[in-house]
Amino acid sequence: MCAALGMLGTRKMLSVFIILAAVCLQGTLVQQPGTAERRKLFFERFRRLEEQFRRFQEVTLTRLQEIAGNYNVSYNIDAKFEQLLSKHQGLESAANESHAATQEELSHLKALVKKLQNKGKKQDSKLGALEEALRERTARRRQRCSRSEPGAAAEEPPAKPGPQEQEPEAAGGQNPTVKKLHGKHRQRKKLLQESTRLAAQSRGLQSGPPPGQEAPQRQEAEAEQPHPPEPQALRQQQAVVDKAPEEQSQSEAPRKPGTICNVDSMLFFPNASTENFATFTPGFQAGLLELSLCSWVSTSANYLGTILSYATEDNDNKLVLHGRDAAPRNSIHFVIGDPAFRELPVGRILDGKWHHICVIWSSIQGRYWFYVDRRLASMGSKFQKGYEIPPKGSLVLGQEQDTMGGGFEPSESFVGYLAGLAIWDRALSPGEVSGIAIGRGLPRGTIFTLANISALHGALQKVNCTCLEHCL
């Protein structure tokens, strides 16, 4: 554009110069006589120059127009290029957002797949354990049938069930409620026999002896035999008999208030919600080769939910006391290093009352023990022998983790009360377990108690209470 303007300026100057030159020459020719022919030649040349100049002007204008058109085209190309660049940037940002959303969906799908795989492993292990138990029961029944066949020399007593198969009442003998019912039945039976005997004697007296001896013998019989009680007296005596077992049960109350004073605090989980849980931050600081967990538990639900779960990045079931609202509801899974687990019987706990439980495990020989109210309810060996529970994980109370710190399900939530929960990095002795249950101080070596909770979530409530009897 600048070049075109320069050429226009040059053309104007050239036009002025030619005109001035023509005027000067004309004046010179007028002053000199006899120059008509020269003037004619001059004008012819001047017309030629003017024609050439006109052509030059046309060519210049054409060139300038071409240059201007090329400039407009280049300007339009720049604008279009900028538009394409902005569109490219928009497409790139949209592609990045789509990629991020896709990655998030993939991570979610991976978590779901991992969760399904873990559940599949649990179901396979559970089915294997059920099949093994079914085979053992079938073999035991066959053995009993073979012993009961005719011709056998002597009938041997049935094999004693293992700790896993014992009913909760088996460890303590006959159920106290059954004893009370038997005693009440015997007392009523004696009372009925006594009233029947007295009625029979009264009927014998009414039949009477011969006429001459009727009055003396009746007087002697009345003097020797007591009168039968009236119906009201019988009802009163029956009421006294009925009240006796009740007074006996009241006298058998477990303990006086304020006798178990080693709990420090209590957690209340009001409902089955994934929002209700407590966390310990950080988790285990060192690997565990032995473990003991004891707590007072009370639940009015018909199942015992997940009490504790410990997860790491590579495994979400490193340590779990896993329960859920699904059959069988009278047992929970004691998991160490998924998929290895053992079933623990908890049927006697599901009555809404306080019960003391202790779960103990040692990697030496893979031994484990489960105590309920100071009684050994289950035990075994070869359970994760030589295994070490790793450190730096996520420790949660009241929920089962399917991912580290999350992945909860309402059916696996704990509902009820936990009091005096404590964890040790060693195996407690039976005497120490009994001492905790009767209210003595906690044994040495606790690594976690309810006082170490870092956060409470949802509607979970923590109540400070030194004695168990004062927590509710």
Side-chain angles (χ1 to χ4, degrees):
M1 191 68 183
C2 293
L5 293 173
M7 291 180 67
L8 287 173
T10 304
R11 187 185 65 176
K12 290 181 180 180
M13 292 176 65
L14 183 61
S15 300
V16 173
F17 176 76
I18 291 173
I19 294 170
L20 291 174
V23 172
C24 293
L25 287 174
Q26 186 177 5
T28 303
L29 291 175
V30 171
Q31 293 176 2
Q32 296 178 2
T35 60
E37 294 180 359
R38 292 180 180 178
R39 186 184 300 172
K40 186 178 180 180
L41 292 173
F42 172 76
F43 282 112
E44 288 180 359
R45 289 179 180 178
F46 183 76
R47 281 193 299 271
R48 290 175 184 174
L49 287 174
E50 187 177 6
E51 185 179 356
Q52 290 177 358
F53 178 75
R54 196 177 290 111
R55 290 177 182 176
F56 175 76
Q57 186 179 9
E58 292 176 357
V59 172
T60 303
L61 290 174
T62 303
R63 295 297 181 185
L64 289 174
Q65 290 175 356
E66 291 178 357
I67 291 171
N70 292 332
Y71 175 77
N72 291 332
V73 171
S74 64
Y75 180 78
N76 293 334
I77 289 175
D78 292 339
K80 290 182 179 178
F81 180 76
E82 291 178 357
Q83 291 178 358
L84 291 175
L85 182 61
S86 62
K87 289 182 179 180
H88 174 72
Q89 291 176 351
L91 291 174
E92 186 177 2
S93 61
N96 291 334
E97 292 177 358
S98 177
H99 180 70
T102 303
Q103 291 295 330
E104 185 178 358
E105 291 292 335
L106 286 176
S107 61
H108 182 63
L109 290 175
K110 288 180 180 178
L112 289 177
V113 170
K114 184 177 180 181
K115 183 177 178 180
L116 291 175
Q117 289 176 350
N118 292 335
K119 287 187 176 181
K121 291 179 181 179
K122 292 179 183 178
Q123 294 297 331
D124 293 340
S125 302
K126 189 173 182 179
L127 288 175
L130 291 175
E131 290 177 356
E132 183 66 23
L134 182 60
R135 285 195 294 268
E136 292 179 358
R137 290 181 181 179
T138 304
R140 196 173 291 113
R141 288 179 181 177
R142 291 178 179 175
Q143 187 177 5
R144 290 176 180 175
C145 292
S146 62
R147 289 174 179 175
S148 61
E149 290 179 356
E155 183 178 357
E156 298 179 1
K160 184 178 180 181
Q164 296 254 2
E165 300 174 0
Q166 291 180 354
E167 294 296 328
E169 292 81 12
Q174 192 177 12
N175 195 332
T177 305
V178 178
K179 289 182 177 180
K180 295 174 185 177
L181 291 175
H182 284 312
K184 186 175 181 180
H185 179 70
R186 285 194 296 269
Q187 291 175 354
R188 289 181 177 179
K189 188 175 181 180
K190 290 180 180 179
L191 181 60
L192 182 61
Q193 291 176 352
E194 183 67 20
S195 61
T196 304
R197 184 176 63 81
L198 293 175
Q201 290 178 359
S202 64
R203 286 195 300 270
L205 292 174
Q206 290 176 1
S207 60
Q213 301 178 356
E214 181 177 356
Q217 290 183 359
R218 182 175 298 176
Q219 294 176 358
E220 291 176 1
E222 290 176 355
E224 293 175 358
Q225 299 293 337
H227 293 283
E230 297 294 331
Q232 184 177 0
L234 288 175
R235 286 195 296 270
Q236 293 177 353
Q237 188 175 1
Q238 180 69 23
V240 172
V241 174
D242 292 342
K243 290 181 180 179
E246 295 179 1
E247 295 175 355
Q248 183 180 2
S249 62
Q250 292 178 359
S251 64
E252 294 177 358
R255 287 185 181 90
K256 297 179 181 179
T259 58
I260 304 173
C261 297
N262 57 0
V263 297
D264 184 63
S265 59
M266 178 193 72
L267 295 179
F268 172 47
F269 298 81
N271 51 26
S273 171
T274 57
E275 302 294 329
N276 304 334
F277 63 97
T279 55
F280 294 89
T281 304
F284 299 132
Q285 295 298 300
L288 299 180
L289 295 174
E290 291 185 333
L291 173 80
S292 297
L293 184 148
C294 295
S295 177
W296 287 94
V297 180
S298 174
T299 179
S300 57
N302 60 350
Y303 70 99
L304 186 66
T306 300
I307 296 177
L308 175 142
S309 65
Y310 179 70
T312 59
E313 290 289 349
D314 59 338
N315 192 331
D316 57 2
N317 291 316
K318 285 296 185 182
L319 170 64
V320 189
L321 285 177
H322 176 248
R324 60 179 299 145
D325 188 9
R329 292 180 174 83
N330 60 349
S331 65
I332 61 173
H333 288 176
F334 178 33
V335 184
I336 293 183
D338 188 42
F341 74 93
R342 294 293 185 270
E343 286 194 2
L344 305 179
V346 295
R348 71 169 70 178
I349 300 175
L350 308 177
D351 57 359
K353 300 179 181 179
W354 282 116
H355 295 276
H356 188 261
I357 65 170
C358 274
V359 181
I360 303 170
W361 168 79
S362 173
S363 63
I364 303 173
Q365 303 298 326
R367 301 290 301 275
Y368 72 94
W369 301 264
F370 178 53
Y371 292 88
V372 177
D373 296 332
R374 302 167 55 190
R375 297 176 180 176
L376 185 62
S378 179
M379 64 176 294
S381 60
K382 298 181 180 179
F383 178 40
Q384 293 293 60
K385 178 181 177 181
Y387 184 80
E388 180 180 3
I389 301 174
K392 310 298 182 182
S394 172
L395 184 59
V396 174
L397 295 182
Q399 300 288 345
E400 198 275 329
Q401 305 175 73
D402 286 330
T403 58
M404 189 171 175
F408 306 145
E409 291 187 7
S411 61
E412 299 172 335
S413 303
F414 177 81
V415 180
Y417 303 89
L418 293 177
L421 185 142
I423 302 175
W424 292 261
D425 58 356
R426 64 183 182 90
L428 298 180
S429 66
E432 289 174 323
V433 173
S434 179
I436 300 171
I438 63 177
R440 297 176 185 171
L442 296 180
R444 60 175 178 82
T446 57
I447 57 177
F448 282 113
T449 64
L450 294 183
N452 302 120
I453 290 177
S454 58
L456 301 175
H457 302 268
L460 178 62
Q461 301 176 18
K462 184 178 180 182
V463 179
N464 294 324
C465 48
T466 304
C467 298
L468 182 68
E469 294 84 356
H470 303 156
C471 291
L472 296 178

